[in-house]
Amino acid sequence: MCEKLNACNQLVAQDILNIQLLAYKIEAELIGFDGIPQLNDTVESIMASKETFIGYNRSGKLAGFISYQVSGNELDICRLVVHPDCFRMGTANSLLKYIMNKYKYSIIDRYTVSTGSKNVPAIRLYKQFGFIPYQEIEISKGISICLLAKEKTQA
């Protein structure tokens, strides 16, 4: 079940951080880069974030979350994080579906997201939702991020 998280609450922010650190450590190993900014987050930085956080609960526990920011008619997905114990259980799918449905009839006409170019599972997931890679940016020698977008007019 998806629901809005109050990331300003210290206990909620701690839950978010715990899952985030576990998941991003795995991504860091996958892409061979431990400089992912979210690995440096703290409870305080999450509490101060301007992002909207939506959590997915499984058996009464936070299994994952998505965070985003809206600017004009664009929604930028900032984080899509799943607890490693819940990988391949549909958590990321559920969170993406929730966001897409929530803004289906809104002014949002473009969704954006970025991920490590070597994060094949994440890129595959976003492509399943109609996201199209449009740019790669090298952030460190041999390490790049893939920028993806989905226009609302796309099915």
Side-chain angles (χ1 to χ4, degrees):
M1 167 155 88
C2 294
E3 63 185 6
K4 187 172 181 181
L5 299 174
N6 179 4
C8 293
N9 176 291
Q10 189 170 5
L11 293 176
V12 173
Q14 185 66 60
D15 282 347
I16 288 169
L17 181 62
N18 291 343
I19 293 171
Q20 177 173 295
L21 291 176
L22 289 170
Y24 279 112
K25 283 178 185 173
I26 290 172
E27 181 175 1
E29 290 174 14
L30 181 68
I31 67 173
F33 180 68
D34 64 0
I36 298 171
Q38 290 83 355
L39 287 172
N40 296 316
D41 267 330
T42 62
V43 169
E44 292 76 18
S45 65
I46 289 171
M47 290 174 67
S49 173
K50 302 294 184 207
E51 298 165 26
T52 299
F53 288 80
I54 304 295
Y56 184 86
N57 289 303
R58 186 179 300 281
S59 302
K61 294 194 176 203
L62 187 63
F65 65 88
I66 191 168
S67 74
Y68 62 92
Q69 289 184 303
V70 174
S71 178
N73 61 350
E74 186 169 295
L75 184 147
D76 182 44
I77 298 170
C78 305
R79 313 163 203 238
L80 178 55
V81 179
V82 176
H83 191 290
D85 291 346
C86 299
F87 282 179
R88 293 183 176 79
M89 297 177 126
T91 304
N93 271 333
S94 295
L95 288 161
L96 277 170
K97 283 179 190 173
Y98 178 87
I99 294 301
M100 298 299 182
N101 287 332
K102 178 178 175 71
Y103 288 96
K104 188 174 188 174
Y105 299 108
S106 73
I107 64 164
I108 301 299
D109 60 14
R110 186 169 197 252
Y111 301 88
T112 60
V113 68
S114 63
T115 190
S117 297
K118 295 179 184 174
N119 190 344
V120 175
I123 292 171
R124 185 180 315 122
L125 173 70
Y126 293 124
K127 284 181 174 181
Q128 287 173 355
F129 276 83
F131 284 80
I132 298 169
Y134 69 90
Q135 187 177 7
E136 278 200 31
I137 299 172
E138 187 173 52
I139 56 171
S140 185
K141 186 165 176 61
I143 303 296
S144 61
I145 58 171
C146 179
L147 307 179
L148 302 99
K150 174 186 169 78
E151 306 297 326
K152 190 180 239 180
T153 56
Q154 297 169 328

